Amino acid sequence: MFDKILIANRGEIACRVIDTCRRLGVATVAVYSDADRDARHVQMADQAVHLGGPAPADSYLRGDRVIAAAQATGAQAIHPGYGFLSENPEFVDAVVAAGLVFIGPSAAAIRAMGLKDAAKALMEKAGVPVVPGYHGADQDPDHLAAEAARIGYPVLIKAVAGGGGKGMRRVDDPSAFADALESARSEAQGAFGNPAVLIEKYILQPRHIEVQVFGDGARAVHLYERDCSLQRRHQKVIEEAPAPGMTPEMREAMGGAAVRAAEAIGYAGAGTIEFIVDGADGLRPDGFWFMEMNTRLQVEHPVTEAVTGIDLVEWQLRVASGEALPARQDDIALTGHAFEARLYAEDVSAGFLPATGRLAHLRFADHARIETGVRPGDAISPWYDPMIAKVVTHGATRAIALRALEQALVDTEVAGSVTNLDFLIALTRHAGFKRGEVDTGLIARDLPSLLDGGAEDRAALVLGVIGLAGLADPAKRGGKTLWQPLRRTIAWEGGQAVLEVTGPGAARVTLDRAHEVRWQSGRWWVDGQPCRHRVVTHPAGVGVFGGRVVHLTPLDPLARKAADGAGDGVTRSPMPGLVKAVHVTAGQTVAAGDRLVVLEAMKMEHSLTAAADGVVAEVLAQAGDQVEAGAPLIRLEPADG
């Protein structure tokens, strides 16, 4: 076993690796950027080395600096986590050349699976089923369009390099193919430095089921499957193990195919074989196809750990240090059911746009496994993935584990940034999902009802007013002096209410109508009904949790309203990001829905379109500009103006 390793990553995965290293007595070295100088993973590690500026290209992607840090601190090996350098074969070669150990597969194995087209050809030779499609080298747009027509619509355009849904577009009609191809190529070039794509048949009722594999370079085992079908924009939201509806025959077929795939490339370490599965008529041994291999530890690995009792990071360290596989296939048992929900700083109502902010308040359930890289007071940076935490639960049955996940999310409290917490809770309550009826289109198909599930919680809003008035403090709930009769207006950003204290521990809050509030028997009561809500006062205002999440920010009369200038025809940046392209010029006539600007943020491209017909009066940004949230980009005037 190693004495000391360097972790070439940040955030929750760096913290996760440190946890196992502490248990094994292995010292750790963290690396960090300017933006992460005071980050949780830096605090947890035994040593820390500064890499450079906040942009990944200046820090976490600087393989030379990472290797130099390992050598300077006496680390024997480098754990890459996921993302950044984890699947970069040139980095692996450099690590080995420096006399260090890369905790992961060989550069040859990464190269074999790094390009989706070549990987599919290799899998066909290994007897692994692959999705019908075009994986050739001819990237001429006309040729690709012809191949799409041959395969038959709908098709999926996919970048041959990378993953995470980047450079991926579904196309339902030939007329949309050219624009989708251009967009996918641009995003792939920006994310991976490689614009090449492949074309695949789009399975109409697809499920995304992946198999965890582990090899020692000679042989491999599988640790069963995970269902990752709950996705939005090709990004996973909730994962589970085992897959709902899995049969012994299907599991044997998929597990066998995954092991053949890993052994075909002499795979060492943790990896995941991802399959697309036709869920239209139940799970069948002839209804799954190889999609890609992730030659690293997956974000969702904790659900596999929960159902097998195996620490995959420990296995990574042991195999990388020269041990053989710690277990045989027959030794690996599957017990119970597990879920993982990804809690993000993102605005669901605005199309899941990434968000930033400082975490004024953060509290997690104490009955769930929490994987996080942040603490209260930390900032969600625009430079990196906006994940706040992974919430993991395990139970004897799927129903028990799902109920535990719902409760863990209800017990979670986050303030200082908008999050997808309400959305995750709504998913746990979705009737079809509770029955195990999942496919990759569920979220898009049922998005309106999932958002309606988070409709206004009037009790939460009323209790938020109580919090803003300073009456939620436990010391003030029953005091006659502090709750003496008074009447005043309570204002916050976006609204106001009239508060009247009607007696000890009792008040009336008037919004569009009056609501009676009292503190009794250790809980809040609103309009005669007991509430499970928790009112939390924090530096950014008041948060109400336990029902629909409500945040109220005290009104600053000196601050300029964000609404000032609303209706002025200005298209503003919805988040911090890089202007990738501007598609209009001053004087140009545009129609509602026309693309104006392409913004890159959180490694994804976002198209900003015209809200109405008009004429471009001013172009206020250009390609290459780094802009903040709210920055004006394009100003339109009415066409007849």
Side-chain angles (χ1 to χ4, degrees), residues 16 19-20 23-24 214 301 305 308-316:
R16 161 73 188 91
D19 282 338
T20 289
R23 183 173 60 79
L24 298 177
F214 209 102
H301 76 275
E305 294 184 325
T308 62
I310 291 169
D311 184 331
L312 288 171
V313 174
E314 177 184 338
W315 274 32
Q316 285 185 300

Side-chain angles (χ1 to χ4, degrees), residues 20 48 52 54 65 71-72 130 142 148 153 200 209 215 217 247 266-267 332 355 388 493 531 585 614 617:
T20 289
R65 295 182 184 177
Q71 292 173 320
V130 300
D142 290 338
Y153 287 90
E200 286 183 346
I209 300 178
T247 65
Y267 195 80
I332 304 170
I388 296 172
E493 291 186 4
C531 300
T585 58

Side-chain angles (χ1 to χ4, degrees), residues 203-293:
I203 309 300
L204 288 175
Q205 288 186 283
R207 288 178 62 177
H208 181 159
I209 300 178
E210 59 190 30
V211 177
Q212 176 72 58
V213 294
F214 209 102
D216 62 5
R219 64 186 183 93
V221 295
H222 72 81
L223 291 86
Y224 305 103
E225 78 282 350
R226 297 183 290 256
D227 195 306
C228 305
S229 299
L230 273 193
Q231 302 180 8
R232 47 84 177 150
R233 294 169 58 183
H234 306 294
Q235 297 281 347
K236 300 167 187 175
V237 179
I238 293 180
E239 300 100 339
E240 62 181 300
M246 180 59 67
T247 65
E249 295 78 15
M250 177 76 159
R251 178 171 291 130
E252 183 178 359
M254 290 188 76
V259 169
R260 289 198 302 275
E263 292 182 342
I265 58 172
Y267 195 80
T272 298
I273 310 296
E274 300 196 358
F275 295 101
I276 193 76
V277 178
D278 184 356
D281 190 28
L283 299 183
R284 310 179 313 277
D286 62 348
F288 70 92
W289 302 275
F290 173 84
M291 188 163 56
E292 63 185 357
M293 181 177 189

Side-chain angles (χ1 to χ4, degrees), residues 320-635:
S321 65
E323 293 186 28
L325 278 174
R328 298 171 301 175
Q329 189 67 61
D330 291 343
D331 299 328
I332 304 170
L334 178 65
T335 305
H337 206 99
F339 286 93
E340 173 184 289
R342 302 189 187 190
L343 179 62
Y344 278 102
E346 64 183 8
D347 191 339
V348 174
S349 62
F352 299 96
L353 289 180
T356 56
R358 189 166 295 279
L359 298 173
H361 175 75
L362 184 64
R363 177 185 175 274
F364 298 110
D366 57 10
H367 53 86
R369 172 176 171 176
I370 305 297
E371 303 281 333
T372 185
V374 295
R375 303 150 299 182
D378 285 352
I380 302 297
S381 168
W383 295 104
Y384 314 115
D385 185 271
M387 181 185 286
I388 296 172
K390 300 182 304 194
V391 180
V392 184
T393 58
H394 179 261
T397 67
R398 186 177 188 273
I400 292 172
L402 184 56
R403 183 68 186 91
L405 179 64
E406 178 190 356
Q407 190 59 52
L409 293 169
V410 168
D411 290 345
T412 298
E413 301 172 358
V414 188
S417 174
V418 296
T419 75
N420 66 339
L421 180 56
D422 279 328
F423 181 71
L424 292 174
I425 294 172
L427 279 171
T428 66
R429 296 170 177 170
H430 182 279
F433 182 53
K434 291 173 76 170
R435 292 192 297 267
E437 298 169 0
V438 295
D439 63 74
T440 59
L442 184 149
I443 288 178
R445 185 171 59 248
D446 293 348
L447 186 59
S449 63
L450 289 167
L451 294 180
D452 286 345
E456 181 187 64
D457 182 338
R458 181 54 66 98
L461 180 58
V462 168
L463 291 174
V465 175
I466 293 292
L468 280 181
L471 300 178
D473 187 328
K476 301 179 181 181
R477 287 173 180 162
K480 294 183 180 179
T481 302
L482 294 171
W483 279 77
Q484 58 188 328
L486 58 88
R487 176 188 174 95
R488 57 188 170 121
T489 298
I490 306 296
W492 63 93
E493 291 186 4
Q496 66 177 33
V498 174
L499 172 75
E500 300 172 83
V501 173
T502 56
R508 180 178 299 112
V509 174
T510 302
L511 295 158
D512 55 345
R513 61 184 178 87
H515 300 273
E516 302 297 329
V517 185
R518 73 178 188 275
W519 175 261
Q520 179 181 319
S521 303
R523 64 170 57 190
W524 292 105
W525 296 66
V526 176
D527 295 332
Q529 298 298 315
C531 300
R532 297 176 59 193
H533 300 71
R534 305 179 302 279
V535 184
V536 177
T537 302
H538 52 75
V542 171
V544 184
F545 307 95
R548 169 69 170 166
V549 177
V550 166
H551 297 289
L552 298 184
T553 303
L555 187 65
D556 181 357
L558 300 179
R560 289 189 63 183
K561 299 279 178 56
D564 286 352
D568 58 2
V570 175
T571 298
R572 303 177 187 276
S573 176
M575 73 202 92
L578 175 72
V579 177
K580 288 282 291 184
V582 177
H583 290 278
V584 294
T585 58
Q588 180 177 337
T589 300
V590 297
D594 283 354
R595 186 162 56 169
L596 304 177
V597 174
V598 175
L599 188 74
E600 182 182 73
M602 306 296 186
K603 307 177 188 176
M604 299 285 285
E605 289 191 359
H606 309 270
S607 291
L608 307 183
T609 59
D613 297 348
V615 175
V616 178
E618 290 183 276
V619 176
L620 303 168
Q622 59 184 0
D625 287 352
Q626 187 75 38
V627 297
E628 295 298 320
L633 305 175
I634 304 291
R635 184 171 69 84

